[in-house]
Amino acid sequence: MRTIDRVREVSPPPLNAKDKEMVRVAQRCIMASLDHSRAAAITLTTDAGEHPTVEVPPAALKLIGQLLGAMSEGRPIVLMPTEQEFTTVEAANFLNVSRPFVIKEMEAGRLPHRKVGSHRRIALEDLLAYAKKMRAQQSSALERMAENARELGLDY
């Protein structure tokens, strides 16, 4: 089984307008309760009208609030353990680059990895840090190009 197959992907169900509004309200209520107190419990109402109280750590409530916010915006949601490791192929797919490029970056020491036998594994947190650094470098290069174009009077 590939590493990527072990990741639990949660695809939010399509929401109608009523459901989207319900999700928005729930998200606002949870986030507001966290802002004004150290809320640690939520009360649920079942179909039978019962009101059980569920104790939840504030950090979990914040995560639930963020999840509801993403759902209300229709954004895709992926839950992945932070200890997750990727193969070179999976890392290349994640970064949208070629596998040889990933290997070159590893061998140059720019992308941390570990070896399992003859196979390379990249930790999710290292991959995310590398992707963030890569995006920052791309943004910086684009800004320099735009500045050069402005200096040369090549405004578009």
Side-chain angles (χ1 to χ4, degrees):
M1 177 183 286
R2 296 177 321 149
T3 304
I4 205 76
D5 294 333
R6 291 190 303 259
V7 174
R8 292 202 57 150
E9 184 171 332
V10 180
S11 299
L15 300 175
N16 60 36
K18 181 183 174 193
D19 289 344
K20 280 186 180 182
E21 184 57 29
M22 191 184 315
V23 168
R24 275 190 210 100
V25 169
Q27 191 245 356
R28 283 188 206 118
C29 288
I30 288 173
M31 297 312 266
S33 70
L34 288 172
D35 287 343
H36 300 301
S37 69
R38 298 301 301 161
I42 56 176
T43 303
L44 305 173
T45 303
T46 65
D47 291 340
E50 299 167 5
H51 301 287
T53 299
V54 179
E55 298 277 332
V56 181
L61 281 175
K62 184 175 182 179
L63 178 63
I64 291 168
Q66 292 170 341
L67 177 68
L68 290 171
M71 279 181 70
S72 72
E73 295 170 6
R75 290 186 293 165
I77 302 160
V78 177
L79 299 176
M80 189 178 304
T82 55
E83 311 86 43
Q84 187 73 44
E85 287 188 324
F86 290 85
T87 66
T88 54
V89 171
E90 294 164 343
N93 290 337
F94 180 85
L95 295 171
N96 200 26
V97 297
S98 68
R99 181 178 169 273
F101 177 81
V102 169
I103 292 170
K104 184 180 91 173
E105 292 296 286
M106 289 174 166
E107 290 173 352
R110 291 185 287 266
L111 181 56
H113 67 285
R114 71 182 185 101
K115 279 212 157 183
V116 179
S118 62
H119 302 281
R120 297 174 183 93
R121 298 288 183 261
I122 305 105
L124 171 64
E125 113 183 1
D126 292 334
L127 194 58
L128 291 172
Y130 179 83
K132 184 177 180 179
K133 183 179 174 185
M134 203 166 111
R135 281 191 301 275
Q137 289 172 340
Q138 289 169 344
S139 179
S140 175
L142 285 172
E143 186 57 42
R144 284 193 312 270
M145 286 174 58
E147 182 59 36
N148 288 343
R150 282 190 292 274
E151 287 176 6
L152 294 171
L154 301 174
D155 292 329
Y156 296 99

